[in-house]
Amino acid sequence: MSVSSNNVTQQLIQLADTHIAHTYTRFPLVLVKGEGCRVWDIEGREYLDMLAGLAVCNLGHCHPKLVAAICEQAQKLLHVSNLYQIEPQIRLADLLCQHSFADKAFFCNSGAEANEAAIKLARKYAKEKYGNDRYEIITMTNSFHGRTMATITATAQEKFHKGFEPLLPGFKYVPFGDIAAARAAIGPNTAAIMLEPIQGEGGVNMPPPGYLEGLRALCDEQNLLLILDEVQTGMGRTGKLFAYEHFGMEPDIMTLAKSLGGGVAIGAMLAKDEAAKAFGPGSHASTFGGNPLACAAGIAALSTILEDGLLDNCRMMGEYLLTKLVKLKSKYSFIKDIRGKGLMLGVELEFEGKDIVNACLDRRVLINCTMDKVLRFLPPLVVNKEEVDRAIGVLDEVFDPNNSG
Ligand SMILES: *Cc1c(COP(=O)(O)O)cnc(C)c1O
């Protein structure tokens, strides 16, 4: 990594090393400012952001409508307890339910917490309806559902479990995309099936044709709840407001977080009335869940996606980026696969992508790599052609073996 660093960067990195828990491998730069698809580090260098804080900043950085809504709410009321009615919470729930399959929303602060709520609701619903031994949840290999104890257990990837055993009882794993395996895994204890409609951290994996529809039919036939984790795919990321809309089916429960607040921490579990009724007063709670500030941000983020045509832009720019990536694939034989939907695209390489990510960073373009070999593009939904061209130009330069840079 050859991004040069002056004193202030070095000092901060040293201080971080002393006092920040070492849970992340971080790039040696300190980002301090953002606008649209651009961010700046503390030394004033500008970067093109094709990552959007890992699918969080779907409106781009510091969108004026989002900033205005946050400032306005901050001057009125930051927090009150859920012992009282909270206007922005009610209005955000109404908006989310109007634009989805759902009847009810429970608000929390992160994706892991939203999935915790979904797991708890599924257990409570199944136990009340079918008996105490109905608690098991089937999840998929290469899934990612968060880092709490229940959600690492739901996450069927060993690397997230190591050192934290014993895991939570009541989970069973089957291969993503294999409907027969899901059917075979169902037993007298099964309460629900839970999955991401398109896997994110697991390598940007698309569901095979008919898979999600098949799981829906299977859940109906076997009286199971279907939980979709749309923490990464939600809020327009794939070109529809929610990814399930691509597949002609609806879940019983859906979880959201990441881009729900456009950059402010908020998570939500949405559910149909039939499932949601299992949560009564005292069933579940969160001190900060649905607080006025986060919900004001959520309302502004969702309204902006809908009113500013960001779904159309996502579909258009997603197609454009995909076409450009496919062109690169025909040029470089080490690109094994291009996949994804909308502005959630993965480029699978034959080798590890770490050096490619670093070389892009040297050229001031931020991208990500997941599952070691899958370069991942998650740009803000406001991204334009020139920005896509620049990212592709840099990637082409970095891929070119004749380029020593
Ligand atoms: C990021 C992510 C989570 C976890 O969200 P946190 O806010 O980090 O807890 C859960 N599920 C999916 C699909 C994610 O991409």
Side-chain angles (χ1 to χ4, degrees), residues 54-55 109-115 143-148 151 155 196 198-201 229-233 255 257-258 266 344 376:
L54 275 171
N109 313 284
S110 69
E113 265 185 89
N115 287 330
S143 55
F144 183 79
H145 298 296
R147 299 297 202 122
T148 62
T151 56
T155 296
E196 305 151 79
I198 300 170
Q199 291 188 327
E201 305 308 301
D229 177 346
E230 293 233 23
V231 168
Q232 188 162 148
T233 53
T255 55
K258 289 205 163 90
I266 180 170
M344 179 175 176
R376 183 166 46 162

Side-chain angles (χ1 to χ4, degrees), residues 173-225:
Y173 309 138
V174 298
F176 179 71
D178 186 340
I179 193 98
R183 177 180 284 279
I186 296 168
N189 305 121
T190 312
I193 294 178
M194 173 174 179
L195 76 162
E196 305 151 79
I198 300 170
Q199 291 188 327
E201 305 308 301
V204 193
N205 304 317
M206 292 292 289
Y211 178 58
L212 292 170
E213 300 90 314
L215 285 181
R216 176 70 271 173
L218 185 59
C219 287
D220 290 342
E221 177 199 307
Q222 302 284 325
N223 293 317
L224 307 177
L225 291 175

Side-chain angles (χ1 to χ4, degrees), residues 154-173:
T155 296
Q157 296 194 58
E158 231 170 84
K159 68 182 179 203
F160 295 109
H161 302 163
K162 258 186 90 185
F164 301 112
E165 300 89 348
L167 300 178
L168 197 71
F171 287 84
K172 211 182 236 181
Y173 309 138

Side-chain angles (χ1 to χ4, degrees), residues 92 107-111 256-258 260-262 264-268 290-291 294-295 298:
L92 179 58
F107 290 102
C108 50
N109 313 284
S110 69
L256 299 171
K258 289 205 163 90
L260 181 56
V264 175
I266 180 170
N291 70 77
C295 290

Side-chain angles (χ1 to χ4, degrees), residues 7-41:
N7 269 341
V8 63
T9 300
Q10 284 312 327
Q11 278 168 17
L12 283 168
I13 289 173
Q14 209 164 29
L15 201 55
D17 195 49
T18 310
H19 292 303
I20 302 282
H22 291 181
T23 55
Y24 304 96
T25 308
R26 296 179 199 258
F27 296 102
L29 67 162
V30 183
L31 297 173
V32 293
K33 197 178 91 164
E35 189 187 320
C37 296
R38 297 178 300 164
V39 287
W40 287 264
D41 69 17

